[in-house]
Amino acid sequence: MTNNLDGKVALVTGGTTGIGRETAIAFARAGAKVVVSGRGSERGQETVNLIQKEGGEATFVQTDISQATEVEALITQTVEIYGSLDCALNNAGVEGKLAPITELSEEDLNQVVDINLKGTWFCLKYEIMQMLKQGKGAIVNTSSGYGEVGGANLSPYCASKHGIMGLTKSLALEYAKQGIRINTIAPGPIDTGMPDRGTSSKEVLDNYISTFVPMGRMGTAPEVAEAVIWLCSDAASFVTGTSIAVDGGYLAQ
């Protein structure tokens, strides 16, 4: 079996930058037609242009995944444009404010949970509804190493990512006999700009990486994308309800 996705239709939320963008490109390279979704139309179109320059086929659909009606419309448009929905990466997410819980407001909590957890729930609901019509499909949710462990000053983010792990396991069980596989990726420190937020200098970041990441370096978005493509391919046909850590060994400690 290979990671060939010829003739498949793939959806990537949060496909405007970083892991989402690289995964959208990787889907296209594997032969899929790609719907790129996100809130930023300019950056989303940039992702589409990068795919098209390589000879791939892609479309951008602007979506706020915290709004159920917009997610439902996204899935409808995907099927209207390309005829099906075979693979999905639910990647859209925000880190939120870094602070102790005593300094966080309800608004701070809602901002993270509405996008990371509720938004992923909405995506799963409507993706699964379409895939049930087709009799099969593969979905990958983006969690985090912080979906497995805690992180100081990151309570809303950690809670939302732990929630994604729970959603993945529950729904994988619900649809295991109906041809739909649902898994999670858990990226560790990935060079997308997010991991260095809150660090005082490059020296501090480098020290953190050398101390806490066994491989001694940050990962890259294309490395995460490869895991997603494998999970969505027939090569992973007996894999569901699990999480793959792409973290240089961080969670093995």
Side-chain angles (χ1 to χ4, degrees), residues 5 52 66 103 108 134 138 141 175 177-178 181 206 229:
L5 298 175
Q52 291 175 341
S66 69
E103 298 176 15
D108 293 327
Q134 300 167 189
N141 301 314
Y175 296 100
K177 293 182 179 178
Q178 292 166 277
R181 297 186 299 104
D206 289 345
I229 300 305

Side-chain angles (χ1 to χ4, degrees), residues 167-253:
L167 277 177
T168 298
K169 293 174 184 178
S170 295
L171 297 180
L173 294 174
E174 288 181 25
Y175 296 100
K177 293 182 179 178
Q178 292 166 277
I180 301 173
R181 297 186 299 104
I182 305 168
N183 293 289
T184 300
I185 51 166
I190 305 298
D191 190 8
T192 62
M194 182 179 285
D196 59 357
R197 213 172 79 99
T199 60
S200 57
S201 67
K202 183 178 184 301
E203 182 180 355
V204 171
L205 177 62
D206 289 345
N207 182 64
Y208 174 86
I209 297 299
S210 63
T211 302
F212 294 105
V213 181
M215 290 184 71
R217 67 172 177 87
M218 297 180 72
T220 68
E223 288 177 312
V224 181
E226 288 298 323
V228 177
I229 300 305
W230 180 77
L231 285 170
C232 287
S233 74
D234 288 342
S237 57
F238 200 53
V239 180
T240 194
T242 195
S243 174
I244 294 182
V246 186
D247 66 357
Y250 176 81
L251 288 177
Q253 300 174 100

